[in-house]
Amino acid sequence: MDPAATEQKRNNARQKLMQFILDIGSKAFSPDIPESSRVEGRKEIKTFNLIAALNILVRPGHAPAWLRPKLMEALTLIPLRPDGVRATMEFVFAVHPSSTVRVSEAAVPQKRGANITHEALEMASKLLSISSSSVTPEIWYSSIAPQLLVLLDGDEGPELTRTASYIIGFGILGRKASGAPGTAGWKCLAEPLLYAIKPPPNAQPPSTKDDDEIVDLSKERVLVEYQDLVTALRRLRSLVVSHPNQGLAKRLLSPLLPSLWTLSTWNRASSELSDKVCGPASELLKIYLKLAPSPELVLYLIRNLGYVGGYNRQSPEWVYKETGKHEIGIVERKPRAFFIGGAPTAPQVTMEDIETKITTLLDLITTTMSDADIIGAFLELLQRWFKAARQSRGGSVLIKEESEETRDPLEQLIEIKTLQSMMENVPNKLATQPRAILDLVSEILASSAAASDEDHNDDEVTGVALSLLNMIVTVPGFQKSRVNPDTLSLIETSLDKLSKSPTDVGKTANNLGLLLLYRDQIDDPSESLLPPAPADRQIEDRKTYSLAISYITAPDSPPPVRSEGLHLIGTLITSHSPVLDIPGILVLLSSLISDSDEYIYLRIIKLYTLLAGYHPRAVTTDLLDQFIDAKETYSVDARQRFAEALSQVIERLGETFTGDLAQRVGDGLLSVAGRRAHRPKTEARQAREAKVQERKNKEAADAWGGEVPDFSDPTTPEEKARNEILERIVEGWESKRGSEDIRVRASALGVLGMGMEVNVRGMGVRVVNLAVELAVSILQVERGVEGGILRRGAVMMVNEFVRALDRVGEGFGFGFGERAREDLMRTLGWVRDTDGDGLVRRQAGDVVESLEAWGVRRLVGKGEEDKGMGMLRGLVVNPVERVNPAVGEEKVGRVRIEEVE
């Protein structure tokens, strides 16, 4: 078909569409027709294709003045339609300048791995997370919330799931105005997920029966069905693991901890139940334990070890219960008044369940928490048990204070069982902090020794204390000199008193006393030359460092946990911790910068800049080596991220970016930005890929018996030409015959420009002159359409050079005289007039103006106190204030113009 005819047909279709929209708008909002007719006219407006047309019509001059505000309002309310959220996201991803998605692909971008950039994601989040001024927040969020929650199910593809998680997590729940408890955003997006897992005290079952139907009150009412529970867990998991918003994860998971614990440890769960309920609940529980570890959290889980549901332990309002074969639901319990003789007691866990749950709890905390948190919980449990035992041996009659609450016997039993299990299963972790344990052991032994004088000794408590003492003393490398002298003296005195008892406790105390006396002589004499014991802070820093590394490197760590690990590394850097292995940290960061999650590698770049403040040479050199990539191990994206990190590090260094370090960085960047770089491994890989592609094309042609037909979507000549240009540009960016990638070269020019902006003196005359010469040669030689980004980088680097000249003045010795300035202006002027890239032409014009202004400033002298332009050579510019040198008086007179020969 003739291209002109096709274009005419396309214009006619566009005009027809616009006229159709105008007609519908007139039916819906025209003041000349009745209100009832306008309401019917509004119902004719559809959603998906309406966005593009409305974006054209709301522009000035495209619609009547009375209709334009209505069209603008209709455009802002499109997300409230049943498919408005999806349509808005897809439209933004299709038209945003940073996206490479074709308009014809906008309907199903996630199916083809759409390039949803961070900029487009932020734009979509702003459009959807902030309510329109024409509706209340309650109406806005109640309309878009169901659409966003459905996207969390993952049926529409992982890209839209991540997009919905970002909009909910950062755009809505991440803002105080819409994400705080009680706000419309929290009620519509957070509460449906939370209440489906842990209903509120006054929860009512969903109404599914007719008003006239008889309801059997003797049957249990199901508050949350099994499928609703599964859906809530799946959506909550998608929301938490799809982005590293640690604060939001804590806010969402903290009220659900007992519920997640109960669901994750459900007894005799089938494989289906484990996959849909127990597995997601366990993963969410582990995430919270890694984000907010503390001894108090361990004790909280121990107190809720037998949690069955509800808010009242004695009589829960609802419980988790099997509602069908391999199904769990939330069932309402009848109030006390419903039963004759009172309501039944709450369901109780069996001793077998307690043993199983304690084992599961120890496995959970040992894999997610540090040794310090585990020891803190152990010591708290031991103190509680010691206090209860000491009170019980005070006599048969105990006086209880009014403020003291009666503890649940089942809870006390669980604590004792947990304490016993920790001593049996994790003694290696308990022995890592001997000081805290020895302090408590000394207190228990002293109390036991005092009680032995009164014949009230508790052999059970004393036996536990002696077992702990034996565990600490027999650890390899234990030395008495590292123990607090007061604590050691108290322990030895107490052992001496207890050894006089004829019981088994006395014999054990006597043996431990002898072991403690001769402990230093038992070990190899060479062990006495061990270095001094590390300080408490060093011990904690080492454990924090190990915990951070485990969070980052674990293969199953979700983004929030990895982000928490990077946060822990950052706290160690800011605290000047001596335990940091700087080479190891640099290797770790360089291996993580290729992460596909944008939030992770942005945090890594921040860590690079943070670390550069304390180790500038090591960080800068490592980033430069990784960016140059002599071994050809990194992708183009990873190298560009290294360039961004190097640029931010140079900006942070400021005036300290000087000397041989700055010159080395400059030489390395020049080698990458030039045309002579050769990458043999890349060339060999490209040759292999070309052969494979050629073989596939030949096989396809043989199968079709000729040329392979084109099954792509039909496109107009304009779209086809545009796509061909884009493909040519993208293909031109890539390396050819082992040459350097154009995108990497442009990044190198950008980092060179940053170096000139920060400290042009520190980079040196040689490097700066070579950089300017390289930029000029790029503008003259790299004239292809694919080299547009490279020429932009060259022009911007020249602009930074001109700004640096203006700052440092003429005394630096660049050798940039009048002739060099004219040559550079001539080249830039030619680029401004002839370059095929509009952005390059505009930038070149700006740099030419800057050079002209700089040339004028060179001719202008500085007046006293830098007033105005000062004095031009040979001409008085501001002769308002004159001084008579003969008289020494200042006279103010009018300006006179005289002709002087």
Side-chain angles (χ1 to χ4, degrees):
M1 182 180 292
D2 184 16
T6 303
E7 180 63 21
Q8 181 64 32
K9 184 177 180 180
R10 185 168 178 267
N11 291 334
N12 293 338
R14 179 183 296 178
Q15 292 295 332
K16 187 180 295 184
L17 174 63
M18 293 179 61
Q19 187 61 42
F20 176 71
I21 298 298
L22 288 173
D23 294 341
I24 292 180
S26 299
K27 293 180 182 179
F29 304 110
S30 176
D32 299 332
I33 60 177
E35 176 63 23
S36 58
S37 300
R38 280 183 280 177
V39 172
E40 293 297 326
R42 294 190 188 105
K43 297 180 180 179
E44 298 182 15
I45 303 177
K46 305 298 179 182
T47 302
F48 186 77
N49 294 326
L50 186 61
I51 302 179
L54 287 177
N55 272 277
I56 298 175
L57 292 176
V58 296
R59 298 173 185 173
H62 287 210
W66 57 266
L67 181 59
R68 189 167 175 268
K70 299 295 183 180
L71 295 176
M72 182 70 73
E73 181 180 353
L75 182 62
T76 58
L77 295 180
I78 278 182
L80 304 187
R81 296 174 173 270
D83 59 343
V85 170
R86 171 79 176 268
T88 301
M89 289 192 297
E90 292 173 352
F91 179 77
V92 171
F93 299 153
V95 302
H96 197 275
S98 65
S99 178
T100 60
V101 183
R102 300 177 185 176
V103 178
S104 60
E105 299 174 352
V108 285
Q110 74 288 348
K111 302 297 183 184
R112 305 186 182 183
N115 183 19
I116 301 178
T117 61
H118 188 67
E119 294 79 6
L121 194 59
E122 288 183 344
M123 175 62 70
S125 177
K126 290 180 181 178
L127 292 175
L128 295 173
S129 59
I130 301 177
S131 61
S132 174
S133 58
S134 58
V135 296
T136 62
E138 288 74 15
I139 296 177
W140 178 269
Y141 292 118
S142 63
S143 300
I144 70 171
Q147 304 180 58
L148 290 172
L149 292 176
V150 167
L151 294 178
L152 293 178
D153 291 334
D155 297 335
E156 302 299 329
E159 292 292 340
L160 286 184
T161 300
R162 293 183 69 251
T163 302
S165 300
Y166 182 89
I167 295 173
I168 296 174
F170 287 97
I172 301 176
L173 299 182
R175 297 188 305 116
K176 184 178 181 180
S178 57
T183 59
W186 180 268
K187 291 180 179 179
C188 296
L189 286 162
E191 289 185 356
L193 300 178
L194 302 182
Y195 289 168
I197 301 174
K198 186 177 182 180
N202 56 350
Q204 296 295 325
S207 178
T208 57
K209 299 182 179 296
D210 298 333
D211 296 337
D212 298 334
E213 186 174 351
I214 299 176
V215 179
D216 188 358
L217 297 179
S218 63
K219 294 183 179 180
E220 293 179 331
R221 296 195 301 174
V222 179
L223 299 179
V224 179
E225 297 286 351
Y226 170 70
Q227 290 299 332
D228 296 334
L229 179 62
V230 171
T231 301
L233 286 171
R234 181 176 63 248
R235 292 177 176 178
L236 183 60
R237 178 191 173 278
S238 298
L239 180 59
V240 170
V241 305
S242 295
H243 59 81
N245 191 340
Q246 302 149 267
L248 177 62
K250 295 177 184 178
R251 289 170 53 203
L252 291 174
L253 298 179
S254 59
L256 303 178
L257 291 181
S259 300
L260 295 176
W261 165 253
T262 300
L263 295 174
S264 63
T265 58
W266 194 262
N267 192 19
R268 294 179 295 275
S270 63
S271 58
E272 179 184 357
L273 193 61
S274 298
D275 294 339
K276 294 184 177 181
V277 175
C278 303
S282 177
E283 184 177 358
L284 292 173
L285 184 60
K286 289 179 180 179
I287 290 175
Y288 186 85
L289 293 180
K290 292 180 179 180
L291 294 180
S294 65
E296 292 76 15
L297 182 57
V298 179
L299 297 175
Y300 180 76
L301 291 177
I302 293 174
R303 288 195 301 270
N304 291 275
L305 195 76
Y307 180 78
V308 294
Y311 297 84
N312 187 339
R313 290 189 178 184
Q314 303 301 326
S315 180
E317 301 84 354
W318 46 263
V319 293
Y320 296 99
K321 188 175 182 180
E322 291 188 3
T323 56
K325 185 177 180 181
H326 307 311
E327 292 184 355
I328 301 177
I330 301 179
V331 179
E332 180 187 30
R333 299 187 75 245
K334 302 300 180 183
R336 181 179 296 272
F338 184 82
F339 297 94
I340 299 176
T345 58
Q348 298 292 331
V349 293
T350 63
M351 186 59 63
E352 181 183 357
D353 293 338
I354 291 177
E355 297 287 349
T356 304
K357 287 178 178 289
I358 289 176
T359 303
T360 305
L361 177 63
L362 289 183
D363 293 339
L364 181 66
I365 63 177
T366 53
T367 56
T368 57
M369 290 189 171
S370 65
D371 295 345
D373 296 323
I374 297 175
I375 293 174
F378 173 79
L379 293 177
E380 178 64 25
L381 291 176
L382 187 60
Q383 287 177 339
R384 291 185 181 186
W385 180 55
F386 172 58
K387 180 180 179 182
R390 185 171 53 184
Q391 290 177 349
S392 64
R393 72 165 181 252
S396 58
V397 179
L398 296 177
I399 300 176
K400 175 185 169 185
E401 298 180 0
E402 294 182 359
S403 59
E404 185 180 354
E405 298 181 357
T406 303
R407 297 188 62 194
D408 185 4
L410 178 61
E411 181 180 337
Q412 295 183 5
L413 176 62
I414 292 175
E415 289 184 357
I416 294 174
K417 288 288 185 181
T418 305
L419 189 66
Q420 179 183 0
S421 181
M422 294 179 75
M423 293 181 61
E424 293 175 354
N425 299 319
V426 290
N428 55 334
K429 293 183 177 294
L430 300 180
T432 57
Q433 285 193 348
R435 178 176 300 181
I437 293 182
L438 288 178
D439 290 341
L440 182 58
V441 166
S442 64
E443 179 184 351
I444 296 175
L445 292 180
S447 177
S448 300
S452 64
D453 296 337
E454 303 173 3
D455 296 331
H456 293 301
N457 188 23
D458 191 336
D459 291 345
E460 186 178 8
V461 176
T462 308
V464 171
L466 293 175
S467 298
L468 290 174
L469 179 60
N470 179 71
M471 179 183 66
I472 297 300
V473 173
T474 55
V475 169
F478 173 82
Q479 290 185 357
K480 293 168 55 177
S481 57
R482 295 180 176 180
V483 181
N484 187 346
D486 296 336
T487 302
L488 182 62
S489 176
L490 183 59
I491 291 176
E492 292 176 340
T493 303
S494 301
L495 290 176
D496 183 60
K497 290 183 179 180
L498 292 173
S499 63
K500 300 176 182 179
S501 173
T503 61
D504 293 338
V505 171
K507 296 178 181 179
T508 304
N510 182 60
N511 294 335
L512 278 176
L514 295 175
L515 176 62
L516 193 60
L517 179 63
Y518 299 104
R519 180 64 179 84
D520 292 345
Q521 285 75 25
I522 295 176
D523 291 333
D524 188 353
S526 60
E527 294 185 358
S528 61
L529 302 177
L530 291 173
D536 292 341
R537 178 188 171 185
Q538 291 181 343
I539 296 175
E540 291 300 322
D541 286 353
R542 287 175 182 173
K543 293 176 180 177
T544 302
Y545 180 68
S546 301
L547 187 64
I549 297 299
S550 65
Y551 283 178
I552 296 171
T553 58
D556 58 343
S557 289
V561 175
R562 282 184 291 158
S563 180
E564 176 66 16
L566 295 173
H567 173 70
L568 294 176
I569 295 291
T571 57
L572 294 177
I573 294 174
T574 53
S575 63
H576 303 243
S577 176
V579 304
L580 283 177
D581 177 19
I582 302 304
I585 291 293
L586 293 176
V587 171
L588 176 65
L589 296 181
S590 63
S591 65
L592 294 174
I593 204 168
S594 301
D595 195 287
S596 59
D597 198 322
E598 190 164 0
Y599 319 107
I600 298 297
Y601 74 73
L602 289 178
R603 184 178 285 273
I604 290 171
I605 292 176
K606 183 179 179 180
L607 285 182
Y608 269 122
T609 59
L610 196 63
L611 193 61
Y614 308 102
H615 306 277
R617 181 173 294 275
V619 174
T620 307
T621 303
D622 181 76
L623 284 174
L624 178 64
D625 294 340
Q626 306 295 350
F627 175 63
I628 295 175
D629 191 24
K631 297 181 180 180
E632 304 181 39
T633 56
Y634 294 105
S635 63
V636 174
D637 289 341
R639 296 178 68 190
Q640 288 183 303
R641 293 171 185 176
F642 282 122
E644 174 64 23
L646 181 59
S647 179
Q648 293 190 20
V649 166
I650 292 174
E651 184 179 10
R652 180 182 178 86
L653 294 181
E655 294 296 330
T656 62
F657 181 65
T658 184
D660 59 338
L661 177 62
Q663 294 181 10
R664 178 180 177 182
V665 171
D667 291 336
L669 295 174
L670 287 173
S671 66
V672 174
R675 304 183 63 189
R676 298 180 179 181
H678 182 67
R679 302 174 69 81
K681 293 182 180 180
T682 303
E683 184 178 11
R685 176 180 55 81
Q686 291 171 346
R688 291 193 301 270
E689 292 175 353
K691 290 181 180 180
V692 172
Q693 186 63 37
E694 183 180 357
R695 185 175 65 254
K696 289 182 178 180
N697 294 338
K698 185 177 183 304
E699 292 174 355
D702 294 340
W704 282 95
E707 185 178 356
V708 180
D710 185 8
F711 293 102
S712 59
D713 298 335
T715 58
T716 63
E718 283 187 358
E719 289 182 344
K720 186 176 181 180
R722 174 177 174 269
N723 294 338
E724 289 177 353
I725 294 175
L726 291 177
E727 290 175 0
R728 178 183 170 189
I729 291 174
V730 174
E731 290 178 359
W733 286 347
E734 298 176 355
S735 171
K736 296 295 188 299
R737 295 183 298 277
S739 61
E740 187 61 89
D741 193 288
I742 287 182
R743 290 165 291 185
V744 177
R745 295 176 62 193
S747 298
L749 292 175
V751 180
L752 278 171
M754 175 58 69
M756 293 182 185
E757 178 183 356
V758 169
N759 189 5
V760 70
R761 294 179 182 271
M763 296 192 69
V765 176
R766 180 185 61 83
V767 173
V768 174
N769 285 337
L770 289 175
V772 175
E773 292 177 4
L774 175 61
V776 172
S777 66
I778 288 175
L779 294 174
Q780 294 174 344
V781 177
E782 309 275 354
R783 302 290 294 172
V785 64
E786 69 279 359
I789 59 173
L790 190 62
R791 296 194 299 276
R792 295 174 195 173
V795 173
M796 294 308 297
M797 193 191 70
V798 173
N799 185 48
E800 294 298 338
F801 168 70
V802 175
R803 293 173 58 187
L805 279 180
D806 192 32
R807 290 194 302 268
V808 302
E810 302 180 20
F812 183 47
F814 280 113
F816 191 72
E818 186 64 24
R819 177 175 297 180
R821 186 180 71 89
E822 292 177 355
D823 292 341
L824 184 57
M825 288 181 59
R826 188 182 303 109
T827 301
L828 292 172
W830 173 69
V831 172
R832 176 192 58 190
D833 299 334
T834 62
D835 199 277
D837 191 307
L839 185 57
V840 174
R841 292 197 303 270
R842 184 166 66 251
Q843 291 174 342
D846 294 340
V847 179
V848 168
E849 293 179 1
S850 299
L851 280 171
E852 292 174 348
W854 178 75
V856 172
R857 285 193 293 271
R858 289 183 62 222
L859 299 176
V860 177
K862 298 291 184 179
E864 292 183 2
E865 298 179 2
D866 197 22
K867 295 179 180 179
M869 292 179 64
M871 305 285 290
L872 285 177
R873 297 173 183 172
L875 176 66
V876 178
V877 178
N878 189 19
V880 177
E881 297 182 357
R882 303 285 303 268
V883 178
N884 189 342
V887 182
E889 298 178 354
E890 181 177 329
K891 298 181 180 180
V892 180
R894 298 176 60 187
V895 178
R896 293 189 305 170
I897 302 176
E898 299 180 359
E899 182 179 355
V900 180
E901 295 183 1

